[in-house]
C-alpha cells in the first residue's frame, strides 16, 4: 500500500483533524505521504514533517492553492496520484469538496466519511444520519476517500522526521476565483478538536443568551456548538452547527443545553464519551442518550453551573 | 439560460430508519418516500432564479426506476418546466450517476446545474463534485447564497470556518446547503398542472453509458446503542458526578 493524505491547514497551522486522518491511513499499513497544498505554507510543511509515521511530505506552494479551491487541488492530486493506492482527506468541507472531484477525474468511485477500516478495500461508514452503519467493499484500482476524524484517535504530532519535497506543478482553473471569506474568530478551541463541547439549542431563545454558554465554556476550556434549530433561527453562525449536516464531534464531555435532541443532532454528537443534557422538558429525546440528565430551566442551571466550576 | 436540477427519491426524513433483520440493508418496504430535502432546496433555488428573470427554463432529472417519477412530479409542481427520468434496472454507483448526469447535461447544455449537497439516505455528498469534474466546469458546494450577474455566478458557501465567497464563470455546478432558501409548498392547482408537464424517459443505454456498481454493500448494522444514564437532581450533584465519577472535569 502507498497512501497519499491531503493535509488540512490554513497556511499557518496544520489542523488537528489531519492527525486523525493519518491514523486511518496507518490502519491501511503502507508508506504514508502527506501533501501540503497551499500558499506560503512552509511552516505547515515543517509541522507535517514532524508528525509520527509520515514518510514523505510533498509541498505544493502556489497562490492557486491558497484557498484550497477544489478545481486546482483536484488537478494537483490527479497529477500526483500515479504511485498511490489510496488517497485520503479529512471529511471536512474542504476534503468533501475536493476528493470526489479528484475521484471522478481519476475515473473511480469515492467513499465519503469513512469511520472504520476493515481492510485495504473494505470500510465502514454511517448512512441514514447515523441510523445505520454500512460495511462496503470497493472494487477500484485506487481508493479515494474522506475520513471521519472523530472515528480515529489522532497520531502523535511529534516524533517523525519526514523528508520535505517540493512540487512545482501549478494548476489554476480560469473559471473560478476566490472572492472573500468571513471566518469566525475565536480564542476557544476548535469544535471538532475540543475535549469539551458546550452546545446550545433553541431553548436559549436568542443569540445574546449564548453568552451564558460562552462563560461556562471559558471556565472549562471548551468549544461552543449549536443545534441546527439554533443556527436556522439565526442565534449563531453556521460554523457552530453540530449534527448530520454540520460538524461531527466526539469530545470527552458534551454538554447539551436547551437542545431537544433531534435525530440529525444526535448523529453529530452521540459518539461523545460523556453526554450531559440540561433541558426543562423531561420528555426531550436528548435524555435518552445522556449519561447525566438534569431537568431544569437552563437560565437557572447554567449560571449555577458556571459558579460551581 | 437553462437550469438543470438533479433530484433523488429518498426515504422521508420523518421516517425512523430500521435495519433489516438479516443485515443486508435498511428496510424500505412500505416506507414513505419523498424528494430529498437538499434537492428540494435546489429546485426552489432554480424557481427563484427563474422568477428573477435569470433563468428561462428549468429541467429536472432523476435516475431511477418508475417510482421516482413521483418526485419528478413534485419538482414540476414546485415550478420546474419539464422532467427527464433516466431508467436504470440495477443500482448504479456514484460514478455511473455522475456519468449519466454529465451526458444529460451535454444534451441539454444548461448554464447552471443545481443539486442538493447530499442525499439523506447514503449521506455521500459527492455527486455534484463528480459531475462538475466530468463536465470540466467549476463547482460551488454547500451554497448558502447564489447570485447571477451576466455570465458570472457568485456563491457564498458554508464552510467549517465560516463563510467563503467564490466567483465562477458559467456554466457551473452548485450544490445547496440547508440555509440557501426555504422551499415553498406546491399549491393544488400547480400539482394538477404538473401532471400535464412533459416527462421524458431515457435509458442508460440511450445515453451510451453502461451501468456499473463498484461499491458493494456487504452488510448493514444498527449503530451501537447508547443507553440513557441517570437523572441528577441538582447542578451540585451534576458537578460532583462529572468530577468524581466520570472524571471529565477538574
Amino acid at each position: 500500500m502507498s497512501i497519499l493524505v491531503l493535509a488540512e491547514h490554513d497556511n499557518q497551522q496544520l489542523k488537528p483533524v489531519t492527525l486523525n486522518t493519518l491514523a486511518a491511513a496507518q490502519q491501511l499499513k503502507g508508506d504514508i505521504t502527506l501533501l501540503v497544498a497551499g500558499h506560503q505554507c512552509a511552516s505547515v510543511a515543517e509541522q507535517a514533517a514532524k508528525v509520527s509515521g509520515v514518510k514523505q511530505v510533498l509541498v505544493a506552494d502556489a497562490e492557486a492553492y491558497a484557498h484550497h479551491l477544489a478545481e486546482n487541488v483536484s488537478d494537483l492530486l490527479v497529477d500526483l496520484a500515479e504511485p498511490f493506492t489510496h488517497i485520503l482527506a479529512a471529511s471536512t468541507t474542504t476534503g468533501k469538496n475536493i476528493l470526489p472531484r479528484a475521484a471522478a477525474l481519476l475515473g473511480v468511485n469515492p467513499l465519503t466519511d469513512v469511520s472504520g477500516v476493515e481492510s485495504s478495500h473494505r470500510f465502514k461508514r454511517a448512512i441514514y444520519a447515523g441510523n445505520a452503519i454500512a460495511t462496503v467493499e470497493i472494487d477500484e484500482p485506487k481508493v479515494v476517500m474522506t475520513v471521519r476524524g472523530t472515528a480515529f484517535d489522532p497520531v502523535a504530532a511529534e516524533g517523525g522526521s519526514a523528508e520535505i519535497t517540493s512540487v512545482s506543478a501549478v494548476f489554476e482553473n480560469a473559471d473560478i476565483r476566490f472572492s472573500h471569506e468571513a471566518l469566525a474568530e475565536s480564542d476557544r478551541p476548535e469544535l471538532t478538536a475540543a475535549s469539551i463541547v458546550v452546545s446550545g439549542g433553541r431553548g436559549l431563545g436568542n443569540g445574546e443568551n449564548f453568552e451564558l454558554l460562552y462563560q461556562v465554556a471559558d471556565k472549562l476550556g471548551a468549544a461552543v456548538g449549536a443545534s441546527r434549530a439554533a443556527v436556522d433561527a439565526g442565534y449563531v453562525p453556521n460554523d457552530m452547527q453540530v449534527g448530520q449536516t454540520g460538524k461531527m464531534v466526539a469530545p470527552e464531555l458534551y454538554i447539551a443545553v436547551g437542545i431537544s435532541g433531534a435525530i440529525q443532532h444526535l448523529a453529530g454528537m452521540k459518539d461523545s464519551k460523556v453526554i450531559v443534557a440540561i433541558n426543562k422538558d423531561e420528555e426531550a429525546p436528548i435524555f435518552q442518550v445522556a449519561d447525566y440528565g438534569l431537568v431544569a430551566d437552563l437560565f437557572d442551571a447554567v449560571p449555577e453551573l458556571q459558579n460551581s466550576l | 439560460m437553462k437550469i438543470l436540477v438533479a433530484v433523488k427519491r429518498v426515504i422521508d426524513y420523518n421516517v425512523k430508519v430500521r435495519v433489516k433483520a438479516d443485515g443486508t440493508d435498511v428496510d424500505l418496504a412500505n416506507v414513505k418516500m419523498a424528494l430529498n430535502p437538499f434537492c428540494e432546496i435546489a429546485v426552489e433555488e432554480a424557481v427563484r432564479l427563474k422568477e428573477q428573470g435569470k433563468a428561462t427554463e428549468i429541467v429536472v432529472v432523476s435516475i431511477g426506476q418508475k417510482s421516482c417519477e413521483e418526485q419528478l412530479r413534485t419538482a414540476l409542481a414546485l415550478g420546474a418546466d419539464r422532467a427527464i427520468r433516466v431508467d436504470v434496472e440495477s443500482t448504479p454507483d456514484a460514478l455511473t450517476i455522475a456519468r449519466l448526469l454529465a451526458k444529460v447535461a451535454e444534451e441539454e447544455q444548461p448554464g447552471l446545474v443545481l443539486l442538493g449537497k447530499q442525499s439523506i439516505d447514503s449521506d455521500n455528498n459527492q455527486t455534484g463534485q463528480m459531475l462538475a469534474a466530468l463536465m470540466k466546469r467549476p463547482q460551488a458546494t454547500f451554497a448558502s447564497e447564489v447570485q447571477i450577474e451576466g455570465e458570472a455566478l457568485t456563491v457564498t458557501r458554508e464552510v467549517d470556518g465560516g463563510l467563503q465567497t467564490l466567483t465562477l464563470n458559467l456554466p457551473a455546478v452548485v450544490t445547496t446547503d440547508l440555509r440557501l432558501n426555504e422551499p415553498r409548498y406546491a399549491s393544488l392547482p400547480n400539482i394538477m398542472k404538473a401532471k400535464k408537464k412533459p416527462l421524458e424517459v431515457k435509458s442508460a443505454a440511450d445515453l451510451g453509458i453502461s451501468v456499473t456498481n463498484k461499491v458493494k454493500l456487504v452488510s448493514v448494522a444498527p449503530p451501537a446503542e447508547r443507553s440513557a444514564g441517570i437523572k441528577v437532581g441538582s447542578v451540585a450533584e451534576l458537578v460532583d458526578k462529572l468530577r468524581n465519577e466520570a472524571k471529565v472535569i477538574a
Side-chain angles (χ1 to χ4, degrees), chain A residues 103-123:
Chain A
L105 294 173
L106 290 164
V108 300
N109 280 282
L111 293 176
T112 297
D113 212 17
V114 165
S115 58
V117 175
E118 304 271 286
S119 75
S120 67
H121 286 73
R122 190 182 273 218
F123 304 94

Side-chain angles (χ1 to χ4, degrees), chain A residues 3-9 14 18-19 22 31-38 41-61 76 80 84 156-157 159-168:
Chain A
I3 304 138
L4 179 65
V5 175
L6 178 65
E8 181 102 3
H9 67 90
L14 187 68
T18 307
L19 305 177
L22 285 164
D31 287 341
I32 298 174
T33 299
L34 189 54
L35 169 64
V36 177
C41 54
S43 64
V44 180
E46 281 165 30
Q47 295 159 45
K50 288 190 196 133
V51 176
S52 166
V54 175
K55 191 163 187 215
Q56 184 188 201
V57 172
L58 297 178
V59 189
D61 192 328
L76 174 67
L80 297 172
F84 300 102
S161 57
E163 188 190 337
I164 301 179
T165 309
S166 78
V167 176
S168 55

